[in-house]
Amino acid sequence: MRVGVLTGGGDCPGLNAVIRSVVRKGVQEYAFDFVGVRDGWLGLLKNDVVPLDISSVRGILPRGGTILGSSRTNPFKHEDGLQRVQDTLASHEVDALVVIGGEDTLGAATELSRHGINLVGVPKTIDNDVSGTDYTFGFDTAVGIATEAIDRLHTTAESHMRALVVEVMGRHSGWIALHAGIAGGANVILIPERPFDIDQVCELVKRRFEINYAPIVVVAEGAVPKAGQLMVKDQSLDEFGHVRLSGIGEWLAQEISARTRKDARTTVLGHIQRGGTPSAFDRWLATRFGLHAIDAVKEGDFGRMVALRGTRIVRVPLADATAQNKVVDRSLYEEFEAFYG
Amino acid sequence: MRVGVLTGGGDCPGLNAVIRSVVRKGVQEYAFDFVGVRDGWLGLLKNDVVPLDISSVRGILPRGGTILGSSRTNPFKHEDGLQRVQDTLASHEVDALVVIGGEDTLGAATELSRHGINLVGVPKTIDNDVSGTDYTFGFDTAVGIATEAIDRLHTTAESHMRALVVEVMGRHSGWIALHAGIAGGANVILIPERPFDIDQVCELVKRRFEINYAPIVVVAEGAVPKAGQLMVKDQSLDEFGHVRLSGIGEWLAQEISARTRKDARTTVLGHIQRGGTPSAFDRWLATRFGLHAIDAVKEGDFGRMVALRGTRIVRVPLADATAQNKVVDRSLYEEFEAFYG
Amino acid sequence: MRVGVLTGGGDCPGLNAVIRSVVRKGVQEYAFDFVGVRDGWLGLLKNDVVPLDISSVRGILPRGGTILGSSRTNPFKHEDGLQRVQDTLASHEVDALVVIGGEDTLGAATELSRHGINLVGVPKTIDNDVSGTDYTFGFDTAVGIATEAIDRLHTTAESHMRALVVEVMGRHSGWIALHAGIAGGANVILIPERPFDIDQVCELVKRRFEINYAPIVVVAEGAVPKAGQLMVKDQSLDEFGHVRLSGIGEWLAQEISARTRKDARTTVLGHIQRGGTPSAFDRWLATRFGLHAIDAVKEGDFGRMVALRGTRIVRVPLADATAQNKVVDRSLYEEFEAFYG
Amino acid sequence: MRVGVLTGGGDCPGLNAVIRSVVRKGVQEYAFDFVGVRDGWLGLLKNDVVPLDISSVRGILPRGGTILGSSRTNPFKHEDGLQRVQDTLASHEVDALVVIGGEDTLGAATELSRHGINLVGVPKTIDNDVSGTDYTFGFDTAVGIATEAIDRLHTTAESHMRALVVEVMGRHSGWIALHAGIAGGANVILIPERPFDIDQVCELVKRRFEINYAPIVVVAEGAVPKAGQLMVKDQSLDEFGHVRLSGIGEWLAQEISARTRKDARTTVLGHIQRGGTPSAFDRWLATRFGLHAIDAVKEGDFGRMVALRGTRIVRVPLADATAQNKVVDRSLYEEFEAFYG
């Protein structure tokens, strides 16, 4: 049996750990052959496929990024996309695919599966917003990096001279902001799921200064103020209607500064949250995802995605996983009410 | 309502995070009063009780250790232990206790609960061997430290001149060894649950050298060779029959060296695994345990322990949790067979 | 003899290490008494002075910030400033001061010294721009944090889809940018000492993409483009004429994006560079500065500043140290020419 | 001109940074050709030489170990060693060598230089014990790792239940022990340069417990007790007469435990101190060493070693550098007397 492996979407620590465990178990226990597809779905459109064996995956466990390359290409947005994918798979005699990716990549996988392509999905997202799994790998690493950054800001907060704003990832969901904010002891946590009231934020900020400690505000990049509160001149909004480039973190610092008469400074973590070596938790999870994905291939259990439930790895229908984003629900956010403000 | 908080047993990153969240939510949402019991059960025997309020818990979230002190004292091993505990609680008008501890501390809590003392347990163990919960806080931190150590040894392993042995915590269970070994890409992982065959270990070591890469052996401090293989002159065994002080890691290095004619070196991580700041995951878990424990107190749901199941915090009977150690089961260990050797 | 200790200016990892070693050696070897002055020169203006002994400095070695508080107050900008400082010192019978601070704080110290106040200076600046000393503490910590951030960006750079801009500290000097840029393997390093040509930067960026690797651009917050190249509408400049708030890093990303048609993303490290625990190097240096400063007090060698020369600690006249900023000279910058681009 | 590069002796973070900067500057500025010699002097004996160009050194800056391999081979201990070295160099038309190594490797280089081989040395030692240079790369990384370990032990020390012993590298010199011990706030620091009195150590340990804080003892692997105090049954001594394998750290813990009736635990850091990514300081230093070494080759200034003096890189005669080990002198050790005990 010959199995293809591809990684799609943005960087995510742990991708290489999945590739490694898929290949290690596939070769050693099931005597499978492997090929690597370059740059996600693009490699199947362009017939860019490389050999993949145990020596290819040696030493990659701790490395960020993906040895296979990635892209955001969707085969169904290209003419003859389906046909070209099928042709590439046929020409390399690939019997099955392991597809590692986020919502978009797995969405295409779901569609390809319906067209008869044998594949197993592995969920990947820094943002932790794929449904059907307790956690995705990469998330723990990102939370760890953001938490360490917040820890360092407490030194400055003790001097209670300025408010400190940290912008973290999360365009559609606030998982990183909430986890890092709680782990880091932030006073204000703003997430996309709950449009915030800038007046209330400034109120909390002021109150914090009164106990001689500066506020630390964690804001997800996709968080937005209530309707009508965002006024930015000469600044383009992105496709989602969010402030582009100069960012919500910078906007917040300017507003806090203007309204509270306290200096406010911003840290924008950006891509450092998705780079570098994966945390031990993410390596463990990614490795197990890989081992279970190749088991599913062995059993011919296609059209499914591996997922974490508690401490067990299970399989769920791909369609369920990609039906909707997993967001922070109200009750979880409110669980931490004692720490806001 | 007045609530006492105590921490028992060994150090564990996250203890302070629990104390903080118990007090923050108890004061702010339920208007409880708090007292801190010093040095675990010892403080109740000796009537060593201190005030505890929001200012006491400020800034302690990222700090290792416990602001309340700890001990391994068991009240039932002291004359009039139960009576003295009851007297101390009565003299300070304490209505309920939050007891944060491992197997021993929670065992005493179970017994005290049977004698009518109102208490809620919070499980704590670096080793992750408390039943009834998916994970305990402190474990993720320890795994992270051990994994980083293994990462660094790969540099030396590349020069394939010597075998590298890492001794990690785990007297009765191999959770840390297995998680760190898998996350770090070790070739041999030895855990207390499976007595190992030193001949087989040396065989794997030799095979590893053949591919021009040195083996990395992770061994839990409680791992033991098969009956008859351990020969140590002039060395005392501890109460569990394990090699004391010079350690299983050192023994392994000596045996590997003698049998394979390759140099072998040992790293013994010791207490650095349980010290320092908790990981983001552990702070999140410890904080949630605290919030749910004080909810249980509020609801008068005593004799229970908070526990993690998937992403939810649940309550389980204290007696269930302390009935037996949670060990690494055979199927989990074998899940990673592709990586051994 | 009674000695006062004060810390002035911005946060800097290592301040507490200086305070600790001054007090430890002063008490144990010279039997001095100590008082701590709160919030820099402000404490001397407001007579805000606290007791300081060995128990006050226990456990502070690894902690960022300063237990004494700080401020940017200059006594000579306050009416009767000199008199009030003298009165406070007299009322507490303070014979000598150890003044830990940067250019501004030491400038005031120089002036006070001329007015007969016995003091010894300890140079402090994250930016490493105090003359007369090879390095200042805090700098190594900041460089380490910035380098780790750059390391993480290499993962994203490998996918060669977007340019990555990192804005680091350095309003007047490029020490952090140069050190972290070289240590992190950046391709473009922009420092305040050399106004940059945005066309040339974009040329280097384009060339980098051609070898299938994205460029990493490190820019000091005080770096500026050549005259005429900076066009920012509706944006206020700060007192030094630098772009305020939305920052040079963001401006660069926008320009690179517009001119090269490649996506560009910014990381703004901000205050995380000056917070948290000091590096081992900074603790060693800060500890030695403190030990030598109290030796100078013991010897009555006032009006001097301790400084690092090679591996030795020496004393230099305060006036020399504060005469001018230490900047990155042309030859050092050019030493690394092989790595630019 | 064709230049060979070789690395000899033990692992050391920063070796790859030197190789990279030698090749980058040599190719780009001087248009040199390069070859890499495998496994130190062994590669010259065995004619094991590989091509080396800019693509070979891409991405290696943050990686520990050496891409060229290393060995402890001394050409003068092999028959016809000198002749074989000369033959290999001649067969590859190598005009000059850059030799990166410690005392032994540079000792052989000195001898080869006397026999007319054109070479420039770059000093390398984790232990910082090469004369003629303020610091060597690798040392800062090792000190950082050891300091972080000590930091973590303070959490346990606060519970004042057990003495904590940390064994660090340093067979002949105490640089790592002294730097990490001071940076970590240890109470007892034992170095090879000063045989210690075990009775006095136990006295300091006892005194520390009296202030309700456990002692942290840092011991260099090569530290020894005063004559007559070391009694170890059935244990082999190594070639230097030091306790082999079970180590001085373990011996100390046993003695402390037996003499003070307090539990004592050991952490043996071992090879994790020399593995993994180099610190920013070490990358900066290693990079500069490489740049200056290739300048020396360009200028034909052979038989010399690059060295750090203050912030400048200088060249010193190879013979001077290898004449004797640099040890911690009495005055530096005593500078920190206020912190011992």
Side-chain angles (χ1 to χ4, degrees):
Chain A
M1 191 164 188
R2 173 165 295 164
V3 182
V5 182
L6 72 81
T7 54
D11 269 352
C12 190
L15 287 168
N16 284 325
V18 180
I19 298 168
R20 170 177 174 266
S21 69
V22 163
V23 173
R24 282 285 289 258
K25 185 164 192 181
V27 170
Q28 290 179 205
E29 301 202 4
Y30 303 137
F32 289 166
D33 270 350
F34 283 91
V35 293
V37 179
R38 298 279 319 159
D39 297 332
W41 297 119
L42 190 62
L44 289 182
L45 293 177
K46 291 173 55 183
N47 196 357
D48 191 357
V49 166
V50 294
L52 192 63
D53 60 18
I54 283 191
S55 71
S56 332
V57 300
R58 210 179 297 291
I60 68 174
L61 172 62
R63 286 173 44 199
T66 158
I67 58 166
L68 295 174
S70 187
S71 74
R72 297 192 184 279
T73 303
N74 182 334
F76 292 101
K77 295 191 174 161
H78 290 257
E79 205 179 345
D80 301 326
L82 175 60
Q83 188 59 52
R84 285 157 70 192
V85 166
Q86 288 169 328
D87 290 350
T88 300
L89 294 176
S91 72
H92 294 276
E93 296 175 16
V94 172
D95 303 299
L97 279 178
V98 173
V99 178
I100 312 163
E103 203 192 1
D104 295 342
T105 305
L106 296 180
T110 309
E111 197 61 25
L112 289 168
S113 177
R114 284 193 192 116
H115 285 88
I117 293 178
N118 294 332
L119 56 80
V120 172
V122 177
K124 174 234 70 161
T125 151
I126 285 276
D127 292 343
N128 197 36
D129 58 357
V130 168
S131 292
T133 183
D134 285 357
Y135 294 104
T136 46
F137 60 86
F139 172 66
D140 183 67
T141 304
V143 170
I145 293 168
T147 301
E148 196 189 315
I150 300 169
D151 278 359
R152 292 191 177 276
L153 295 180
H154 280 281
T155 302
T156 292
E158 279 170 15
S159 70
H160 56 89
M161 295 194 294
R162 49 177 66 93
L164 298 156
V165 177
V166 189
E167 183 185 309
V168 300
M169 285 188 311
R171 199 160 280 282
H172 307 295
S173 70
W175 292 105
I176 293 175
L178 184 62
H179 273 251
I182 291 301
N187 317 114
V188 179
I189 299 173
L190 306 175
I191 62 176
E193 291 86 342
R194 299 169 62 98
F196 62 85
D197 179 344
I198 183 70
D199 296 319
Q200 194 189 0
V201 168
C202 290
E203 206 46 56
L204 291 172
V205 162
K206 274 186 225 160
R207 233 187 288 157
R208 194 73 190 170
F209 276 116
E210 283 159 18
I211 59 162
N212 284 333
Y213 202 91
I216 295 177
V217 178
V218 174
V219 58
E221 60 183 328
V224 284
K226 283 190 171 172
Q229 293 194 328
L230 184 64
M231 283 171 297
V232 185
K233 275 178 277 181
D234 296 323
Q235 240 166 347
S236 54
L237 301 192
D238 71 9
E239 50 182 317
F240 310 104
H242 298 158
V243 184
R244 194 57 193 111
L245 278 175
S246 64
I248 187 69
E250 195 46 63
W251 182 84
L252 260 173
Q254 289 178 345
E255 291 295 315
I256 289 170
S257 208
R259 290 160 184 252
T260 68
R261 305 264 155 223
K262 288 280 186 180
D263 193 13
R265 299 293 173 93
T266 309
T267 289
V268 181
L269 292 177
H271 274 65
I272 66 171
Q273 292 162 94
R274 62 193 326 149
T277 195
S279 72
F281 180 97
D282 282 338
R283 296 187 201 176
W284 170 264
L285 179 58
T287 296
R288 292 188 76 198
F289 273 176
L291 296 173
H292 284 261
I294 200 65
D295 285 351
V297 169
K298 172 70 180 173
E299 296 169 23
D301 190 12
F302 299 116
R304 312 263 273 174
M305 178 183 91
V306 293
L308 178 70
R309 292 282 167 81
T311 59
R312 288 177 315 116
I313 309 296
V314 299
R315 298 176 199 156
V316 300
L318 259 175
D320 290 11
T322 56
Q324 56 175 6
N325 263 17
K326 183 178 68 176
V327 295
V328 176
D329 70 20
R330 189 188 182 86
S331 68
L332 184 66
Y333 186 84
E334 289 175 355
E335 190 173 319
F336 302 98
E337 223 143 55
F339 300 112
Y340 304 138
Chain B
M1 191 163 186
R2 173 165 295 163
V3 183
V5 183
L6 71 82
T7 54
D11 270 350
C12 190
L15 287 168
N16 284 326
V18 179
I19 299 168
R20 171 179 173 264
S21 70
V22 162
V23 173
R24 281 287 287 259
K25 185 163 192 180
V27 170
Q28 290 179 205
E29 302 203 5
Y30 303 137
F32 289 166
D33 270 351
F34 283 92
V35 293
V37 178
R38 300 279 318 160
D39 298 331
W41 297 118
L42 190 62
L44 289 182
L45 293 178
K46 291 172 53 184
N47 196 358
D48 190 357
V49 167
V50 294
L52 192 62
D53 60 18
I54 283 191
S55 72
S56 331
V57 300
R58 210 179 294 291
I60 68 174
L61 172 63
R63 285 173 47 198
T66 159
I67 58 165
L68 295 175
S70 187
S71 73
R72 298 192 184 278
T73 304
N74 182 334
F76 291 102
K77 295 191 173 161
H78 290 255
E79 205 181 342
D80 300 326
L82 174 62
Q83 188 59 49
R84 285 155 71 191
V85 166
Q86 288 170 328
D87 290 350
T88 300
L89 295 175
S91 72
H92 294 277
E93 295 174 14
V94 173
D95 302 301
L97 280 178
V98 173
V99 178
I100 312 163
E103 203 194 3
D104 295 341
T105 306
L106 295 179
T110 309
E111 197 59 27
L112 288 169
S113 177
R114 284 191 192 118
H115 286 88
I117 294 178
N118 294 333
L119 55 82
V120 171
V122 176
K124 175 234 70 164
T125 150
I126 287 274
D127 291 344
N128 196 37
D129 59 358
V130 167
S131 292
T133 183
D134 285 358
Y135 294 105
T136 46
F137 59 87
F139 172 65
D140 184 66
T141 304
V143 170
I145 292 168
T147 301
E148 195 189 318
I150 300 170
D151 278 0
R152 291 191 177 276
L153 295 180
H154 280 281
T155 303
T156 292
E158 279 171 15
S159 70
H160 56 87
M161 295 193 294
R162 52 176 65 93
L164 298 155
V165 177
V166 189
E167 183 184 310
V168 301
M169 284 189 310
R171 199 160 280 282
H172 306 295
S173 69
W175 293 105
I176 293 176
L178 183 62
H179 273 251
I182 291 302
N187 317 114
V188 178
I189 300 174
L190 306 174
I191 63 176
E193 290 87 343
R194 299 169 63 99
F196 61 86
D197 179 343
I198 184 70
D199 296 318
Q200 194 189 1
V201 168
C202 290
E203 206 46 57
L204 292 172
V205 162
K206 276 187 223 160
R207 235 188 287 158
R208 195 73 190 168
F209 276 116
E210 282 159 18
I211 59 163
N212 284 333
Y213 201 91
I216 295 178
V217 178
V218 175
V219 57
E221 58 182 331
V224 283
K226 284 191 170 169
Q229 293 194 327
L230 185 63
M231 282 171 297
V232 184
K233 272 176 278 175
D234 294 323
Q235 238 166 349
S236 54
L237 301 192
D238 72 7
E239 50 181 317
F240 309 104
H242 299 157
V243 184
R244 199 43 201 119
L245 278 175
S246 64
I248 188 69
E250 196 44 63
W251 182 83
L252 260 173
Q254 289 177 344
E255 291 294 315
I256 289 171
S257 208
R259 289 160 184 253
T260 67
R261 306 262 155 224
K262 289 279 185 180
D263 192 14
R265 298 293 174 93
T266 309
T267 289
V268 180
L269 293 176
H271 274 65
I272 68 172
Q273 291 162 95
R274 62 194 324 148
T277 195
S279 71
F281 179 96
D282 282 337
R283 297 188 202 176
W284 170 264
L285 179 57
T287 296
R288 294 188 76 198
F289 273 174
L291 296 172
H292 284 261
I294 200 67
D295 285 352
V297 169
K298 173 68 180 173
E299 296 169 24
D301 190 13
F302 299 115
R304 312 263 274 174
M305 178 184 90
V306 294
L308 178 70
R309 291 281 167 80
T311 60
R312 289 177 313 116
I313 309 295
V314 299
R315 297 176 200 157
V316 299
L318 258 176
D320 290 11
T322 55
Q324 55 175 5
N325 263 17
K326 184 177 69 176
V327 295
V328 176
D329 70 21
R330 187 187 184 87
S331 69
L332 183 66
Y333 186 85
E334 289 175 355
E335 192 174 317
F336 301 99
E337 224 143 52
F339 300 112
Y340 303 138
Chain C
M1 189 162 189
R2 172 165 295 164
V3 182
V5 182
L6 72 80
T7 54
D11 270 351
C12 190
L15 287 168
N16 285 326
V18 180
I19 299 168
R20 170 177 173 266
S21 69
V22 163
V23 173
R24 283 284 289 258
K25 184 163 193 182
V27 169
Q28 291 179 204
E29 302 202 4
Y30 303 137
F32 288 167
D33 268 350
F34 283 91
V35 293
V37 178
R38 299 279 318 158
D39 297 332
W41 298 118
L42 190 62
L44 290 181
L45 294 177
K46 291 172 55 183
N47 196 358
D48 190 357
V49 166
V50 295
L52 192 63
D53 60 19
I54 283 191
S55 71
S56 332
V57 300
R58 209 179 297 291
I60 68 175
L61 172 63
R63 286 173 45 198
T66 157
I67 58 166
L68 295 175
S70 187
S71 74
R72 298 191 185 278
T73 303
N74 181 335
F76 293 101
K77 295 192 173 159
H78 290 256
E79 205 179 344
D80 300 327
L82 174 61
Q83 187 60 50
R84 285 157 70 192
V85 166
Q86 288 169 327
D87 289 351
T88 300
L89 294 175
S91 72
H92 294 276
E93 297 174 12
V94 172
D95 303 299
L97 279 178
V98 173
V99 177
I100 312 164
E103 202 192 1
D104 294 342
T105 305
L106 295 180
T110 309
E111 198 60 26
L112 289 169
S113 177
R114 285 190 192 117
H115 285 88
I117 293 178
N118 293 332
L119 56 81
V120 171
V122 176
K124 174 233 71 162
T125 152
I126 286 276
D127 291 343
N128 196 36
D129 59 358
V130 168
S131 292
T133 183
D134 285 356
Y135 294 104
T136 46
F137 59 87
F139 171 65
D140 183 67
T141 303
V143 169
I145 293 168
T147 301
E148 196 189 315
I150 300 169
D151 278 358
R152 292 190 176 278
L153 295 179
H154 280 281
T155 302
T156 292
E158 279 170 16
S159 69
H160 55 89
M161 294 193 295
R162 50 177 66 92
L164 298 156
V165 177
V166 190
E167 182 184 312
V168 300
M169 285 187 310
R171 200 160 280 282
H172 306 295
S173 70
W175 292 105
I176 292 176
L178 183 62
H179 273 251
I182 291 302
N187 317 113
V188 179
I189 300 173
L190 306 174
I191 62 176
E193 289 87 342
R194 298 169 63 99
F196 61 86
D197 178 345
I198 183 70
D199 296 319
Q200 194 189 1
V201 168
C202 290
E203 206 45 58
L204 291 172
V205 162
K206 274 187 226 160
R207 232 187 289 158
R208 194 73 189 168
F209 276 116
E210 282 160 18
I211 59 161
N212 284 332
Y213 201 90
I216 294 178
V217 179
V218 175
V219 57
E221 60 183 329
V224 284
K226 283 189 171 172
Q229 293 193 329
L230 184 64
M231 282 171 297
V232 185
K233 274 177 278 178
D234 296 322
Q235 240 166 346
S236 54
L237 302 191
D238 71 9
E239 50 181 317
F240 309 105
H242 299 156
V243 184
R244 188 68 186 102
L245 277 175
S246 64
I248 188 67
E250 195 46 63
W251 181 84
L252 259 172
Q254 288 177 346
E255 290 295 315
I256 289 171
S257 208
R259 289 159 184 253
T260 68
R261 306 263 156 222
K262 289 280 186 180
D263 192 13
R265 299 293 173 92
T266 309
T267 289
V268 180
L269 292 177
H271 274 65
I272 67 171
Q273 291 162 95
R274 62 195 324 149
T277 195
S279 71
F281 179 95
D282 283 337
R283 296 188 202 176
W284 170 264
L285 179 57
T287 296
R288 292 188 77 197
F289 273 175
L291 295 172
H292 285 260
I294 200 66
D295 284 352
V297 169
K298 172 69 180 174
E299 297 169 22
D301 190 12
F302 298 116
R304 311 263 274 174
M305 178 184 91
V306 292
L308 178 70
R309 291 282 167 81
T311 59
R312 288 177 316 115
I313 309 295
V314 300
R315 297 176 199 157
V316 300
L318 258 175
D320 290 10
T322 57
Q324 55 176 6
N325 264 15
K326 182 178 70 177
V327 295
V328 176
D329 69 20
R330 188 188 182 86
S331 69
L332 184 66
Y333 186 86
E334 289 175 355
E335 191 174 319
F336 301 99
E337 224 143 54
F339 300 111
Y340 303 138
Chain D
M1 189 162 188
R2 173 164 296 162
V3 182
V5 183
L6 72 82
T7 53
D11 269 350
C12 189
L15 287 168
N16 284 325
V18 180
I19 299 169
R20 171 179 174 263
S21 69
V22 162
V23 172
R24 282 286 290 258
K25 185 163 192 180
V27 170
Q28 290 178 206
E29 302 202 5
Y30 302 136
F32 289 166
D33 270 351
F34 283 92
V35 293
V37 178
R38 300 280 318 158
D39 298 332
W41 298 118
L42 189 63
L44 289 181
L45 293 179
K46 291 172 54 184
N47 196 358
D48 190 358
V49 167
V50 295
L52 191 63
D53 60 19
I54 283 191
S55 71
S56 332
V57 301
R58 211 179 293 293
I60 68 173
L61 172 62
R63 286 174 45 199
T66 159
I67 58 166
L68 295 175
S70 187
S71 74
R72 298 191 184 277
T73 302
N74 182 335
F76 292 102
K77 295 191 174 160
H78 289 255
E79 206 181 342
D80 300 325
L82 174 62
Q83 188 58 50
R84 285 155 70 191
V85 166
Q86 288 170 328
D87 290 350
T88 300
L89 295 175
S91 72
H92 294 276
E93 295 174 16
V94 172
D95 303 299
L97 280 177
V98 173
V99 178
I100 313 162
E103 202 193 4
D104 295 341
T105 305
L106 296 179
T110 309
E111 198 60 28
L112 289 169
S113 177
R114 283 190 194 119
H115 286 88
I117 293 178
N118 294 333
L119 56 82
V120 172
V122 176
K124 176 235 70 164
T125 150
I126 286 274
D127 292 343
N128 197 37
D129 57 358
V130 168
S131 292
T133 183
D134 285 358
Y135 294 104
T136 46
F137 59 87
F139 171 65
D140 184 66
T141 303
V143 169
I145 292 168
T147 301
E148 196 189 318
I150 300 170
D151 278 359
R152 292 190 176 277
L153 295 180
H154 280 282
T155 303
T156 292
E158 279 170 14
S159 69
H160 56 87
M161 295 194 294
R162 52 177 65 94
L164 298 155
V165 177
V166 189
E167 183 184 310
V168 301
M169 284 188 310
R171 199 160 279 281
H172 306 296
S173 70
W175 292 105
I176 293 176
L178 183 62
H179 273 251
I182 291 301
N187 317 114
V188 179
I189 300 174
L190 306 175
I191 62 176
E193 290 87 343
R194 298 168 63 98
F196 61 86
D197 179 343
I198 183 69
D199 296 317
Q200 193 189 1
V201 168
C202 289
E203 205 46 56
L204 292 172
V205 162
K206 275 187 223 160
R207 235 189 284 157
R208 195 72 190 170
F209 276 116
E210 281 159 19
I211 61 163
N212 284 332
Y213 201 91
I216 294 178
V217 178
V218 175
V219 57
E221 58 182 331
V224 284
K226 284 190 170 170
Q229 292 194 328
L230 185 63
M231 282 172 298
V232 184
K233 273 178 278 177
D234 295 322
Q235 239 166 346
S236 54
L237 302 192
D238 71 8
E239 52 182 316
F240 308 104
H242 299 157
V243 184
R244 194 52 195 114
L245 279 175
S246 64
I248 188 69
E250 194 47 62
W251 182 83
L252 260 172
Q254 290 178 344
E255 292 294 314
I256 289 171
S257 208
R259 289 159 184 253
T260 67
R261 306 263 154 222
K262 288 281 186 180
D263 192 14
R265 298 293 173 94
T266 309
T267 288
V268 180
L269 292 176
H271 274 65
I272 68 172
Q273 290 163 95
R274 61 193 327 149
T277 196
S279 72
F281 179 97
D282 282 337
R283 297 187 202 177
W284 169 265
L285 179 57
T287 296
R288 294 187 77 197
F289 272 175
L291 296 172
H292 284 261
I294 201 68
D295 284 353
V297 169
K298 173 69 180 172
E299 296 169 23
D301 190 12
F302 299 115
R304 311 263 273 174
M305 178 184 90
V306 294
L308 178 70
R309 291 281 167 81
T311 60
R312 288 178 314 117
I313 309 295
V314 300
R315 297 176 199 157
V316 300
L318 258 175
D320 290 11
T322 55
Q324 55 176 4
N325 263 18
K326 183 177 69 175
V327 295
V328 175
D329 70 21
R330 188 186 183 87
S331 69
L332 184 66
Y333 186 85
E334 288 175 356
E335 192 174 318
F336 301 99
E337 223 144 54
F339 299 112
Y340 304 138

